[in-house]
Amino acid sequence: MGKTDKNKAILQFDQRKSQNSAGDRAVAGVVLVNLLCPNREKDTIMVVQAEDGSEITDPKHIANRFCMYYEALYTSKIAPNQEEALDYLLHIELPGLTAADIESFMAPLSLGEMSRAQEGMAEGTPPGPVGLTVRFYKGFKDILFPHLRAVYAEMAEAGVMPPSMREAMLIALLKPGKLPTQCSPYSPFD
């Protein structure tokens, strides 16, 4: 994709972003990714076995099967003792914040802070739900950061993040030499 095409894609992203609230801007990000990376190939799990041994081929049912598998895997089998937990929380000694700390935390995010945070991000990590990689943010930071800062400021003012920014994409990576039709040989990676 040439520089003119990238600029056109970014302009389209900018126009769609300005027409939407902070909660819908992630959708515009997906559009931007699709415009910049139209030939992205995705590894797709085509079939998994259900608990009864039958084959599941519908993508939504496959996703649901993995969801049920990981929910069961990561749900604690031990019921927490609520009295002990409450006692612990009531008696824990937590450090307090100074007035200067509070003022610093409440200050608007600066472009310098965003740049320092981005510099600490490792490349090669998988993209988030909208498909944007760390490399993408680093490559387009001069264009993206002012817009992101505005989104973050809007979220701080509203006191809540939009649902689209509280989501994560879980990728199932098949362990080498394992049967791909079972859920258990896949490692969850977010």
Side-chain angles (χ1 to χ4, degrees):
M1 177 176 269
K3 187 172 182 151
T4 304
D5 293 333
K6 285 183 182 179
N7 288 340
K8 192 183 299 181
I10 290 168
L11 179 62
Q12 287 177 347
F13 167 74
D14 212 23
Q15 290 169 342
R16 288 186 177 146
K17 179 204 61 77
S18 66
Q19 295 168 359
N20 298 308
S21 68
D24 295 330
R25 290 190 182 138
V27 174
V30 172
V31 172
L32 178 62
V33 169
N34 290 334
L35 288 169
L36 293 175
C37 310
N39 298 321
R40 277 189 314 169
E41 290 185 20
K42 296 181 180 179
D43 290 325
T44 304
I45 299 170
M46 301 302 291
V47 62
V48 295
Q49 282 186 341
E51 289 178 358
D52 65 5
S54 64
E55 289 187 345
I56 302 171
T57 56
D58 180 85
K60 288 184 181 181
H61 293 124
I62 290 172
N64 188 45
R65 175 73 182 107
F66 273 93
C67 183
M68 290 177 2
Y69 173 78
Y70 287 119
E71 183 177 5
L73 183 66
Y74 291 113
T75 299
S76 177
K77 307 295 187 252
I78 302 169
N81 183 323
Q82 292 185 354
E83 283 184 30
E84 286 180 16
L86 182 60
D87 184 57
Y88 172 78
L89 292 172
L90 290 173
H91 295 94
I92 190 171
E93 295 281 333
L94 296 173
L97 295 174
T98 66
D101 289 337
I102 293 170
E103 185 177 331
S104 175
F105 288 134
M106 297 305 290
L109 190 61
S110 72
L111 291 175
E113 289 170 318
M114 291 178 69
S115 186
R116 284 190 300 280
Q118 171 262 319
E119 287 168 7
M121 295 171 73
E123 289 193 30
T125 57
V130 297
L132 301 177
T133 63
V134 171
R135 184 174 171 204
F136 178 85
Y137 283 103
K138 286 182 178 184
F140 291 101
K141 71 179 182 180
D142 293 337
I143 297 167
L144 294 174
F145 281 11
H147 300 290
L148 286 173
R149 189 172 81 172
V151 170
Y152 297 150
E154 190 175 315
M155 288 187 308
E157 187 176 313
V160 66
M161 290 174 59
S164 61
M165 294 186 91
R166 292 178 286 184
E167 296 173 355
M169 181 180 295
L170 189 67
I171 299 170
L173 299 176
L174 182 62
K175 297 172 189 169
K178 301 292 181 176
L179 188 62
T181 58
Q182 302 291 321
C183 291
S184 58
Y186 289 89
S187 298
F189 194 71
D190 66 357

